[in-house]
């Protein structure tokens, strides 16, 4: 009787870990797309932000999978290459780290300046299968060309030559960003 109960618990744990390992990368990719498509696009240094928080996600994934390895190897003895499983698992943590990084950065940011700038150009790229789309508004602020991502409705409702309020936020973490007021 005890052997049957242990086998059921082992099967339940195996199914639970399988679900986590299968859904976490999908959730991570979705969270990465949300973070990159939204706020990170208007950061002053978006690539640096993504690199740093992506590395944090990989390190966290390796730490968690290091702790889980004895459990997983006990539950499923058929796993031959644990490093591939670890890499697959880290995809989820990268997305989680990016979204957490965006939230921490916005929490530690404060409005530095507001500009009433003239819209000089608009660009749009339609998204599709495997292609990321965007809507951008272009301005000159302090003799510097600035392009800001925005939502489609906002992009459609504003015309060239129109004055738009733009906010610049300074972050204590060093990842400053632009934001269109009232978008």
């Amino acid at each position: 009787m005890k052997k049957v109960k242990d086998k059921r618990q082992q099967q339940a744990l195996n199914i639970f870990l399988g679900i986590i390992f299968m859904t976490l990368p999908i959730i991570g990719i979705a969270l990465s797309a949300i973070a990159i498509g939204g706020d990170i696009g208007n950061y002053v240094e978006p690539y640096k932000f993504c690199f740093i928080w992506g590395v944090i996600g990989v390190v966290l994934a390796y730490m968690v999978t290091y702790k889980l390895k004895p459990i997983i190897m006990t539950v499923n003895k058929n796993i031959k290459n644990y490093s591939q499983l670890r890499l697959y698992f880290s995809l989820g943590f990268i997305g989680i780290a990016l979204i957490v990084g965006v939230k921490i950065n916005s929490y530690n940011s404060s409005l530095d300046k507001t500009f009433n700038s003239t819209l000089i150009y608009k660009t749009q790229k339609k998204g599709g299968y495997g292609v990321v789309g965007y809507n951008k508004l272009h301005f000159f602020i302090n003799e510097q060309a600035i392009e800001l991502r925005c939502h489609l409705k906002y992009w459609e409702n504003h015309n060239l030559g129109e004055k738009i309020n733009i906010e610049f936020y300074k972050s204590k973490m060093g990842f400053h960003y632009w934001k269109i007021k009232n978008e």
Side-chain angles (χ1 to χ4, degrees), residues 4-159:
V4 172
K5 187 177 180 181
D6 288 342
K7 188 168 181 136
R8 283 186 188 161
Q9 286 177 340
Q10 186 175 3
Q11 283 178 331
L13 184 60
N14 202 3
I15 291 170
F16 177 72
L17 290 173
I19 290 170
I20 288 175
F21 275 93
M22 293 301 288
T23 58
L24 192 63
I26 295 166
I27 291 168
I29 291 169
L31 290 175
S32 295
I34 290 168
I36 291 169
D39 297 331
I40 295 175
N42 291 333
Y43 277 31
V44 174
E45 295 177 312
Y47 299 113
K48 182 179 175 183
F49 178 86
C50 288
F51 177 77
I52 289 171
W53 284 94
V55 168
I56 289 170
V58 169
V59 168
L60 286 173
Y62 272 72
M63 288 171 36
V64 168
T65 55
Y66 179 78
K67 294 287 185 182
L68 288 178
K69 185 176 181 177
I71 297 168
I72 292 169
M73 296 307 276
T74 303
V75 170
N76 192 345
K77 294 173 178 51
N78 295 330
I79 295 175
K80 303 277 189 258
N81 192 349
Y82 191 73
S83 62
Q84 284 181 339
L85 190 63
R86 180 179 276 171
L87 183 63
Y88 189 69
F89 193 69
S90 67
L91 286 174
F93 272 81
I94 290 171
I96 293 168
L98 283 175
I99 218 66
V100 167
V102 166
K103 296 300 179 193
I104 291 172
N105 191 53
S106 64
Y107 179 75
N108 288 309
S109 299
S110 59
L111 179 63
D112 185 49
K113 294 179 184 171
T114 303
F115 301 92
N116 192 11
S117 189
T118 304
L119 177 60
I120 58 168
Y121 193 66
K122 292 168 58 171
T123 56
Q124 181 181 45
K125 181 179 177 186
K126 296 281 186 187
Y129 182 74
V131 177
V132 177
Y134 60 79
N135 309 299
K136 290 183 181 178
L137 302 176
H138 301 260
F139 306 91
F140 270 114
I141 299 175
N142 295 338
E143 299 177 14
Q144 181 183 2
I146 303 292
E147 57 182 45
L148 300 176
R149 289 179 178 248
C150 64
H151 294 97
L152 178 61
K153 285 219 183 254
Y154 194 87
W155 188 87
E156 291 173 339
N157 292 333
H158 290 80
N159 300 316

